[in-house]
Amino acid sequence: MTMSVQERNSGSGGKEEESEDESEILEESPCGRWQKRKEQVSQGNVPGIESASLAMDTEEGVEVVWNEVLFSERKVFNALEDKIKAMFENLMQVEHPNIVKFHKYWLDMRDNQARVIFITEYMSSGSLKQFLKKTKKNHKTMNVKAWKRWCTQILSALSYLHSCDPPIIHGNLTCDTIFIQHNGLIKIGSVWHRLFVNVFPEAGVQGKVRHNRDEQRNLHFFSPEYGSEDDYAIDIFSFGICALEMAVLEIQANGDAVVSKEAITNAGQSLEDPLMREFTQSCVRHEAKMRPTAHDLLFHRVLFEVHSLKLLAAHCFISNQYLLPENCVEEKTKSFDPNGVMAEIEHKGRPGVQLKYSHVSPLELEKFLEDVKNGIYPLMNFASARPHPVPRALSLSQEHMETVKTPTPEPQETETRRVVQMHCNMESNEEGTRTHLSLFLKMDDKLHRQLSCDILPTDNSKDLANELVHYAFISEEDCDKLAMFLEDELCKHRGITPGSSGAMVMMH
């Protein structure tokens, strides 16, 4: 199931009238952020998806995909409602630079029908399958460095999914569900395909329901045990076929309806690099237990490399941006002496090697940092310290549900964005019985959040931070650091005469 879509079914018109017609807003989300348009986008074979349309995210100003699942009978939906909510709430917690983003979902109840609407990231550059076809058509061969970089990104995403708690099995990894951006960024879509198959039965869901398994052209991506013993090994098999297709551009079916085992074997043997041959063959072993894990594959000799100091420093910088002001790289490079020595290697008995600031292009540095941030160069040599939790989002209480005016409210969710900068200001009344706190938060998506409240002498910073988490103003991962920040500022403020104080901090 491909949640982000590459082909627009807008016809060949290209006329201004058609363009205006397709950009017409047909529907808005209850919150007004997402605006559905008339233009349809190709979803592939998605279980239960009635339609997929292009939509606009009015906050970010980017195109997204508006997906709908329509239940012809309300009673069918009611029987599955808890499972559906649990599935979507968990999907919203999946966050990885090499995985197509699942943004939002809500329910729409009208008459005897029920709709589930969900918003996903729109990938405009096309699928990996389309890219490979174009490359082959232009009589070009695959660049080995690009192949390694793509494999690393896909495995990074699979390793993340398989280490979630509970683990997420993709179950539909093909070159049609892997997308490539113009900058070389790989993202895998359809991570919720297997969940949809399990949750949405064919009966009661309106629309044509077919599984990618039934598509003859993609049948070779599925392992022999697919459907009977589903664990991470089915994803590894699929990845192996993808890696093989990336290397040879296309596995020839020789006129048959499906790609045969013999064709796969021949494609593998055609690889000149013995390490690439061994790598792909280990993934497509018939015995599931013999296949390596995604994490193991990142350490395979064909991919493994000792990361450069530059890449390690870039990851360190990206993960700790809260320590530095915005645009710090640009400002810092302006102030450098071009002849200044940045690094030096000393040798006994012969001249050393010096690296000067003039040897480094600020533009190249900024692009490299942007690529690392986007997920093009993931760190492969570090195991996850703990399983990635996929928590249930906060649900609206029954009392609150009754007070909501809209007939189709969007469910409350946990905040997943991280706070990168905080500023607070405190003002006490003359009696000192109450302090007014103004808190300014800058999120990692560069959006701002400003909060204010009155603090009593009995209030403590931990309770304040927990309250912000409860109402989804901040991520739970920022709770302790925010509490420490507020504690320090409260101590400073309460130690002075009535007046005002202010402070700013960068945080992760």
Side-chain angles (χ1 to χ4, degrees):
M1 177 178 68
T2 307
M3 292 296 96
S4 86
V5 186
Q6 317 326 311
E7 299 174 358
R8 301 187 184 184
N9 298 331
S10 55
S12 59
K15 299 178 183 178
E16 186 175 349
E17 307 83 43
E18 292 177 344
S19 177
E20 290 178 357
D21 187 46
E22 288 169 351
S23 64
E24 177 187 355
I25 298 174
L26 300 181
E27 189 177 352
E28 283 191 349
S29 63
C31 67
R33 175 175 177 176
W34 319 99
Q35 295 179 338
K36 175 185 176 182
R37 293 178 177 176
K38 189 174 183 179
E39 184 175 359
Q40 295 285 297
V41 286
S42 172
Q43 280 289 117
N45 295 328
V46 184
I49 299 297
E50 171 67 13
S51 66
S53 306
L54 204 63
M56 177 61 69
D57 178 352
T58 59
E59 283 190 16
E60 296 293 326
V62 297
E63 291 178 320
V64 291
V65 180
W66 174 299
N67 308 271
E68 296 183 9
V69 180
L70 180 62
F71 289 80
S72 56
E73 295 185 21
R74 182 74 173 270
K75 62 181 181 180
V76 176
F77 170 80
N78 291 340
L80 298 168
E81 185 172 1
D82 290 341
K83 285 186 177 180
I84 292 172
K85 286 182 177 179
M87 178 187 71
F88 279 111
E89 287 168 1
N90 283 342
L91 285 173
M92 289 179 63
Q93 311 307 317
V94 175
E95 189 75 40
H96 191 279
N98 300 115
I99 295 176
V100 171
K101 176 67 177 173
F102 186 104
H103 289 296
K104 191 77 171 176
Y105 87 97
W106 65 93
L107 311 177
D108 181 31
M109 313 297 183
R110 294 179 185 177
D111 301 325
N112 191 39
Q113 291 187 335
R115 275 194 310 165
V116 181
I117 303 168
F118 58 100
I119 305 295
T120 52
E121 184 179 4
Y122 175 61
M123 303 290 288
S124 58
S125 297
S127 69
L128 183 60
K129 172 69 78 175
Q130 292 169 332
F131 179 87
L132 296 177
K133 280 187 175 181
K134 290 177 183 177
T135 303
K136 184 176 181 180
K137 186 177 181 180
N138 293 329
H139 306 289
K140 294 182 179 180
T141 57
M142 178 51 57
N143 181 282
V144 175
K145 287 186 177 180
W147 180 85
K148 291 181 179 181
R149 192 162 60 244
W150 294 351
C151 285
T152 300
Q153 292 181 58
I154 298 169
L155 288 172
S156 178
L158 288 179
S159 181
Y160 168 86
L161 292 174
H162 296 169
S163 64
C164 284
D165 185 17
I168 297 177
I169 308 302
H170 190 290
N172 188 35
L173 190 68
T174 72
C175 290
D176 285 313
T177 60
I178 299 174
F179 307 104
I180 180 169
Q181 298 286 63
H182 295 302
N183 60 358
L185 176 65
I186 289 284
K187 289 201 175 194
I188 65 174
S190 189
V191 297
W192 32 84
H193 173 271
R194 192 164 167 271
L195 296 173
F196 267 54
V197 172
N198 293 335
V199 171
F200 293 138
E202 296 193 17
V205 179
Q206 189 168 316
K208 195 172 185 179
V209 181
R210 294 185 305 164
H211 300 166
N212 264 3
R213 171 78 184 195
D214 298 327
E215 273 206 49
Q216 297 298 304
R217 69 190 180 104
N218 282 334
L219 195 62
H220 61 292
F221 285 96
F222 297 91
S223 63
E225 76 279 8
Y226 185 90
S228 57
E229 299 178 19
D230 289 355
D231 65 3
Y232 76 84
I234 68 172
D235 287 344
I236 300 303
F237 185 95
S238 299
F239 164 76
I241 300 296
C242 290
L244 188 56
E245 285 213 346
M246 288 190 297
V248 300
L249 300 182
E250 183 183 16
I251 301 177
Q252 296 288 346
N254 298 324
D256 298 329
V258 297
V259 175
S260 64
K261 293 181 181 179
E262 183 182 0
I264 295 173
T265 301
N266 293 337
Q269 292 176 348
S270 70
L271 298 176
E272 295 181 1
D273 188 333
L275 289 179
M276 290 177 66
R277 264 200 317 271
E278 197 278 328
F279 178 82
T280 55
Q281 288 173 358
S282 69
C283 297
V284 297
R285 288 171 180 154
H286 188 273
E287 291 293 328
K289 294 180 180 180
M290 297 296 292
R291 297 172 206 150
T293 66
H295 184 260
D296 291 339
L297 288 169
L298 287 169
F299 285 83
H300 191 280
R301 288 179 297 168
V302 76
L303 295 182
F304 180 81
E305 61 182 27
V306 177
H307 291 309
S308 66
L309 181 60
K310 178 182 177 182
L311 181 60
L312 292 172
H315 273 277
C316 183
F317 176 84
I318 295 300
S319 61
N320 294 279
Q321 274 187 299
Y322 60 92
L323 296 174
L324 297 167
E326 195 172 355
N327 299 325
C328 63
V329 175
E330 181 181 352
E331 295 300 323
K332 201 70 176 175
T333 52
K334 288 180 181 178
S335 63
F336 283 152
D337 176 10
N339 295 318
V341 177
M342 184 177 1
E344 184 176 8
I345 302 175
E346 295 182 351
H347 297 294
K348 290 183 179 181
R350 58 191 176 97
V353 179
Q354 289 185 340
L355 180 63
K356 297 183 178 181
Y357 287 107
S358 59
H359 298 158
V360 180
S361 167
L363 292 177
E364 289 181 5
L365 179 60
E366 288 183 10
K367 183 182 183 305
F368 181 70
L369 287 171
E370 188 67 23
D371 287 346
V372 172
K373 184 178 181 180
N374 288 337
I376 295 178
Y377 303 103
L379 292 179
M380 67 175 73
N381 305 346
F382 298 92
S384 175
R386 56 184 173 82
H388 303 286
V390 184
R392 285 287 297 274
L394 290 174
S395 300
L396 291 172
S397 65
Q398 188 62 36
E399 293 78 10
H400 184 71
M401 290 282 284
E402 293 174 357
T403 62
V404 177
K405 295 182 180 180
T406 172
T408 57
E410 294 177 271
Q412 187 175 343
E413 61 186 83
T414 54
E415 178 61 81
T416 57
R417 298 174 300 171
R418 300 298 300 274
V419 177
V420 296
Q421 182 178 328
M422 292 194 309
H423 172 78
C424 80
N425 187 73
M426 300 182 189
E427 295 183 359
S428 296
N429 61 3
E430 293 182 0
E431 297 80 14
T433 58
R434 187 178 74 254
T435 300
H436 185 74
L437 168 67
S438 297
L439 183 62
F440 175 86
L441 305 177
K442 182 177 180 180
M443 316 305 282
D444 58 12
D445 58 359
K446 297 185 179 180
L447 294 180
H448 300 150
R449 175 167 280 166
Q450 189 167 349
L451 308 167
S452 62
C453 67
D454 289 331
I455 302 175
L456 300 176
T458 55
D459 290 331
N460 64 72
S461 59
K462 185 64 176 177
D463 289 341
L464 290 171
N466 285 331
E467 190 172 345
L468 291 176
V469 173
H470 175 74
Y471 289 106
F473 287 126
I474 65 169
S475 165
E476 187 173 0
E477 295 179 12
D478 287 329
C479 183
D480 291 339
K481 292 181 180 179
L482 178 59
M484 292 174 61
F485 169 71
L486 291 176
E487 181 65 26
D488 289 343
E489 297 311 312
L490 282 171
C491 290
K492 292 176 185 177
H493 180 73
R494 288 168 177 170
I496 62 175
T497 55
S500 66
S501 69
M504 180 181 289
V505 69
M506 306 286 188
M507 62 174 291
H508 184 56

